[in-house]
Amino acid sequence: MVKLGISFILGQELTTSESYYYRTKIIYLRLFLMKKHSYRFLFLIPLFLASSCNLDNFDFNKLSDDVSLSPELVMPMAKADITVWDIIESVNDENDTLLKTGDKDIIKIVYTEENIYEYEVRKLVNLPDHKDLPVEEKAIGNIKLSTIAKQRGITIKQLQDNLSGAIDNITDGVQQLPLLEYDPIDIEYVVSGIDQFERVKFAKGELSVTLKNNFQFHYITVEASLIDKLTGNPIKNLVFNNIMPNNSSAAQKVTLDNLTFSNSLSFRLTKFIVHQNNSPEIININSDIFSFDMSFNKLEITSGRVKVESQQIENFAGSFNFDFDDDVKVFAAELKGGSLEINSVNTSPLSGTLYITFPEIKKLGSPIQVNIPFNGQSGKQNLSNALINMASDVNFPYNKVPYTYTIALNASSGYIDFDANDYVRLNASLDMLDFKNVQGDFGKKQVKIDDGNFNMDMEFLDKITGDFRLANPKLQLILTNGIGVPAKVEADFVAQDKNGKSVSLNPTPFMVTPPASLSSPVVKQTVTFDKTNSNIVEFVALPPSGNISYTGDIFFNPTDIVSPANPNFFDLDSKLQIDLGVDLPFELQVNNLTFEDTAKIDSGDLDKIKTAELIVNAINEIPLDIDVQLFFVDTISGQQFSSSAKNKLLSAAQISDTGVITATNSSHSITLNETELSGLKKANGIIFKGTISSPSNGTKSAVIYSKSKLNMSVSIKAKLDL
């Protein structure tokens, strides 16, 4: 609150016109000495005078006419009991919002520049909207045949047709058989009726051959070979010794693995013995006396001419490699939209259906399934909101889309030529892909920060000369980051003054903190550059009244080891945004800091004033020394007529080593003599030049608090030429 008061001490009475005349002089003198100027940020002290010398509401008509004339007058002009913040508010005629109060009520300049840099996550990885997956060719593999059972019986009559001797004497009826011993022999008996194949190679299988003895009382011994009649090659030699009578049997098994033969088979009898027995037999020479029972089991065919039975071939598996640009390794992804289409080409004569499952592409928790004919094309499968896991293969945990499928074979109408190496070719394509988020290893990437610039609009700093430093300035980068990729930023800011001189901030590189997970909120991070990690003091002292330019690089994944357990991640709508803030607390270290301003005046009514003196008494809590000098000039030609002496205006409050401020009592004056007044009478302008120093001749910092007070009284003493 500014309190104003005026009183006159005059040596003689004045007429009314004289009273008005000298009051007018005083008003001019007040206008001359108390010019309001504009250093409302760093140069606060002169503003006390400017804000405390408003006499517009003073009514001269209330003065007494009972006065006496004297060539000297003293006018107590003003009293001020105000804070620094009162001054700021009183002169803030441009409604500046740069000036704030900070911690402990220190006044500071706060400047912000929003969105100086923005990096959209879609620039980090080139994600396709269409992808033709690599062709997968899968061999059909072995097919199965059901059990084949055949029997070949041999009668005495058939043996009699091929043998001679004692066997010829055997007839129907009851008789005791003699010893029948035929060794060696070569008699071939065909096995007919095998129509499941013509000629095949078995991948797996088992043949069981059982010899059954139909004699009631006689043992038999039989040796034979199973023969492929088409090639004449033996398949298996069979030996059955002393097979007991009365439908007793003996079996031998043949492994068919990797054997090849036709369906034209025969038994080649190489030995036949009926052992003598004293018991008579009931003989029917046309009935089987022994038989070969054949059973083909667990058959798998790898090639041949065969009748295919309807069946399912299972346990097929494969994977499509989903490659991304720049060798990006993707572990998982979520899609907003997209579709999957598969077509198959079958190189075999088989027909059937493919039942394909993608166990790691899931919608609502269920794997995607596709059913298509052997030679056919699927409809497009909607992948909206699908989750894709591409890291299920522990040996290759990225960019793989696994699948399994089952082949449902149709039964063939006849024989076909089959080969297990025949294959089904699968073609898959993903279309209209719209990724929502991605997890993976995006590699080490260097991204150039686009060059830019901004202006802090602090041209008032150009009026500053002298040794000036802000002791604790800060430049802050406010980061809003939704990209889950560790990053290091190497950036620089270069400030220019109005003359083009520049200073680099040269800040320390810093790390950008990523969100904790895909579901976590964006990370708000503030990176502060101060005198410990940058060249901020010289940067601000330049001063930066021209443009501030910036440039730099972002290094993604500079050091981290990325894995499916510790992935990079991002939502495709995420971004990294950088805002800038400049925080300039008024912690000043100044020595002979010069300020200057010019005011136009009308000096036409000052001829009666011989000398004038402005007396300032103050109790000051503000730690700044202020000196003022006045120059009287022609503002058009620039000619200087005279100047005042340099005068102390305020003495600084003292600051302890711990920052405690002690108020200082001072009394100073600004005096104009006749020579100086002579120049004033010729001038149409006054240049106000001042110097400011922090305590101890600028060796200590002056902390400017908003609540620091100034108690000041101002008086004018003038001598008049009567």
Side-chain angles (χ1 to χ4, degrees), residues 211-215 218-222 240-245 248 272-275 289-291:
L211 179 68
K212 185 177 181 181
N213 182 3
N214 293 322
F215 286 111
H218 289 77
Y219 288 74
I220 64 172
T221 295
V222 176
F240 301 97
N241 289 316
N242 297 317
I243 306 303
M244 292 187 298
S248 296
F272 173 68
I273 298 174
V274 178
H275 299 279
I289 58 171
F290 66 90
S291 62

Side-chain angles (χ1 to χ4, degrees), residues 253-312:
K253 291 184 178 181
V254 180
T255 298
L256 301 179
D257 296 5
N258 299 313
L259 293 182
T260 300
F261 52 84
S262 71
N263 64 346
S264 180
L265 301 176
S266 66
F267 285 102
R268 180 176 291 167
L269 213 61
T270 58
K271 184 176 183 178
F272 173 68
I273 298 174
V274 178
H275 299 279
Q276 195 168 11
N277 190 296
N278 293 326
S279 299
E281 292 275 354
I282 300 174
I283 300 298
N284 182 340
I285 63 172
N286 292 305
S287 295
D288 296 339
I289 58 171
F290 66 90
S291 62
F292 293 104
D293 291 341
M294 301 172 58
S295 179
F296 294 86
N297 303 300
K298 303 176 182 178
L299 301 179
E300 290 189 19
I301 308 300
T302 189
S303 63
R305 189 162 175 80
V306 64
K307 288 181 180 178
V308 177
E309 304 166 4
S310 60
Q311 59 190 278
Q312 285 200 162

Side-chain angles (χ1 to χ4, degrees), residues 336-532:
K336 285 184 179 179
S339 63
L340 168 68
E341 185 174 11
I342 299 177
N343 63 70
S344 66
V345 177
N346 173 30
T347 64
S348 77
L350 299 171
S351 65
T353 302
L354 294 173
Y355 296 90
I356 305 173
T357 300
F358 293 88
E360 301 299 335
I361 304 180
K362 296 181 179 180
K363 290 185 63 173
L364 300 176
S366 298
I368 295 290
Q369 292 183 326
V370 180
N371 304 331
I372 58 174
F374 256 27
N375 287 294
Q377 183 172 332
S378 70
K380 291 188 175 182
Q381 303 293 311
N382 188 340
L383 298 181
S384 297
N385 302 314
L387 300 175
I388 306 176
N389 177 18
M390 300 186 191
S392 60
D393 186 342
V394 294
N395 297 316
F396 198 90
Y398 56 87
N399 294 3
K400 276 189 175 292
V401 183
Y403 63 86
T404 61
Y405 69 92
T406 296
I407 299 175
L409 290 179
N410 298 329
S412 62
S413 58
Y415 291 110
I416 65 168
D417 292 318
F418 169 74
D419 191 324
N421 292 320
D422 289 340
Y423 59 85
V424 175
R425 179 185 297 120
L426 297 177
N427 300 300
S429 63
L430 297 162
D431 195 25
M432 301 180 68
L433 292 174
D434 185 6
F435 288 86
K436 183 179 187 300
N437 56 65
V438 178
Q439 300 179 61
D441 180 355
F442 306 130
K444 298 182 185 298
K445 297 184 184 299
Q446 180 178 351
V447 175
K448 173 73 174 173
I449 296 176
D450 295 334
D451 296 349
N453 62 77
F454 59 92
N455 194 321
M456 290 175 59
D457 194 23
M458 295 170 66
E459 287 82 359
F460 68 88
L461 294 175
D462 289 333
K463 297 181 179 180
I464 302 172
T465 60
D467 188 6
F468 163 72
R469 291 287 188 275
L470 287 175
N472 195 27
K474 296 177 182 178
L475 185 147
Q476 294 179 323
L477 298 181
I478 300 95
L479 287 71
T480 304
N481 182 31
I483 304 175
V485 184
K488 181 176 74 171
V489 176
E490 294 181 1
D492 197 11
F493 294 81
V494 178
Q496 284 190 330
D497 64 12
K498 65 177 182 178
N499 298 316
K501 181 182 177 182
S502 63
V503 172
S504 175
L505 182 65
N506 195 24
T508 302
F510 62 90
M511 295 296 297
V512 178
T513 303
S517 67
L518 266 173
S519 59
S520 299
V522 297
V523 174
K524 298 285 189 177
Q525 178 185 359
T526 299
V527 178
T528 300
F529 299 123
D530 55 26
K531 60 187 177 184
T532 67

Side-chain angles (χ1 to χ4, degrees), residues 39 42-46 465-468 588-595 623-628 646 690-694 698 702:
Y39 308 107
L42 300 179
F43 318 119
L44 299 174
I45 303 306
T465 60
D467 188 6
F468 163 72
L588 313 176
Q589 186 173 344
V590 295
N591 186 23
N592 292 322
L593 184 68
T594 302
F595 61 89
L624 291 174
D625 287 313
I626 299 180
D627 297 333
V628 174
K646 189 173 183 180
T691 59
I692 301 176
S693 296
S694 53

Side-chain angles (χ1 to χ4, degrees), residues 158-175:
Q158 291 170 336
L159 291 171
Q160 289 174 339
D161 292 340
N162 294 283
L163 298 173
S164 60
I167 197 170
D168 291 333
N169 299 322
I170 299 175
T171 59
D172 290 339
V174 178
Q175 54 191 292

Side-chain angles (χ1 to χ4, degrees), residues 36-48 50 84-100 107-109 457-461 463-464 586 588 595-597 692 704:
K36 173 181 178 180
H37 29 112
S38 61
Y39 308 107
R40 57 192 179 278
F41 294 124
L42 300 179
F43 318 119
L44 299 174
I45 303 306
L47 298 176
F48 287 97
V84 171
W85 196 252
D86 291 332
I87 299 170
I88 291 170
E89 289 187 326
S90 69
V91 301
N92 197 12
D93 53 357
E94 296 179 6
N95 194 28
D96 258 308
T97 58
L98 293 177
L99 224 55
K100 309 288 184 183
I107 293 177
K108 60 181 180 178
I109 296 174
D457 194 23
M458 295 170 66
E459 287 82 359
F460 68 88
L461 294 175
K463 297 181 179 180
I464 302 172
F586 278 13
L588 313 176
F595 61 89
E596 180 179 316
D597 199 7
I692 301 176
I704 308 300

